[in-house]
Amino acid sequence: GILILLLSGILGGEEVIISLVFLSAMGLFQLWWILVFVTLGEFISDFTIFSLGRINIFHKFKKIDKLTRLYEKADRLVIKVSKTSTFVTLLYSKFIYGTRIFTLVYLSSKKIQWRKFIISELLVLIVWMSITVTVGWFAGASVKQFSLAFKSIELTIASLLVFIILIIVIKRWIQTKLLKKQKQLN
């Protein structure tokens, strides 16, 4: 179980975390395992990507004209939105699909200090995991009560799937609002 949780943190996103917390509320995992090992996996993943961003391999992409223009546009956006705060930049990347890896590589290309990155990353993970775990726990506990009332595993599984879809829709809505704000800043 612990290895699965660690790998889930490394490879998964909030859908995986919420699903694991959901299963914890159903009694499959202990909640503290998820808090410790999934968070550790997330940190390992983000730290690895940030570290790889320091290698010259990614600097070769800057030689491609189209990527350079995209990078410069993203740079202006990040500065406008986050006011050069590493914490805010990392936090935004948790809420917008497809930006996590780019954000980590972006920050490493800006030569953010290791200490500043690690502190910001840990603070972001505390905020992010608090939100994610709370949502997953309430959903899991609610579905557990619901399934106890009806004693149906099919209903429990269907509820989990509906909940995951609902989380994806809410996250996309937040992403749309943030992108709308971005366009207003431009």
Side-chain angles (χ1 to χ4, degrees):
I2 292 173
L3 182 59
I4 289 171
L5 295 174
L6 190 62
L7 290 173
S8 296
I10 292 171
L11 302 174
E14 65 281 339
E15 294 87 0
V16 172
I17 297 168
I18 289 173
S19 298
L20 290 170
V21 173
F22 184 95
L23 294 173
S24 173
M26 302 299 258
L28 188 60
F29 296 110
Q30 292 185 32
L31 184 60
W32 74 268
W33 286 12
I34 295 169
L35 290 171
V36 171
F37 297 110
V38 173
T39 303
L40 182 61
E42 285 259 334
F43 180 78
I44 289 169
S45 175
D46 289 354
F47 183 81
T48 302
I49 294 167
F50 181 80
S51 299
L52 288 173
R54 297 279 179 140
I55 299 173
N56 289 334
I57 294 171
F58 291 111
H59 296 294
K60 292 179 183 178
F61 290 117
K62 286 186 179 179
K63 293 179 182 176
I64 301 171
D65 191 43
K66 187 174 182 175
L67 290 177
T68 301
R69 285 191 305 254
L70 285 173
Y71 178 85
E72 289 168 355
K73 185 175 181 181
D75 186 39
R76 287 190 301 275
L77 172 67
V78 168
I79 290 170
K80 282 182 183 178
V81 172
S82 70
K83 309 279 190 272
T84 67
S85 167
T86 304
F87 172 79
V88 173
T89 303
L90 288 169
L91 189 61
Y92 271 130
S93 75
K94 296 288 186 184
F95 285 98
I96 302 175
Y97 277 114
T99 61
R100 182 173 150 245
I101 292 173
F102 172 79
T103 301
L104 293 167
V105 172
Y106 167 81
L107 289 173
S108 67
S109 74
K110 289 294 188 184
K111 304 295 184 205
I112 300 296
Q113 297 174 353
W114 289 97
R115 183 172 187 252
K116 185 175 184 178
F117 170 75
I118 290 170
I119 291 170
S120 296
E121 177 69 16
L122 290 173
L123 291 173
V124 166
L125 284 175
I126 290 169
V127 170
W128 182 245
M129 288 299 289
S130 298
I131 294 168
T132 308
V133 168
T134 301
V135 169
W137 185 261
F138 282 121
S142 299
V143 170
K144 184 177 181 181
Q145 293 299 320
F146 189 67
S147 66
L148 287 175
F150 293 102
K151 299 193 187 320
S152 170
I153 190 69
E154 295 87 7
L155 191 57
T156 302
I157 292 171
S159 298
L160 175 61
L161 292 174
V162 167
F163 182 70
I164 290 171
I165 291 169
L166 183 64
I167 292 298
I168 292 170
V169 168
I170 290 170
K171 188 168 181 182
R172 297 252 169 132
W173 178 78
I174 291 171
Q175 178 181 358
T176 302
K177 292 294 182 187
L178 289 174
L179 290 174
K180 193 177 198 180
K181 183 178 178 181
Q182 168 199 350
K183 287 182 182 179
Q184 290 173 350
L185 291 173
N186 290 336

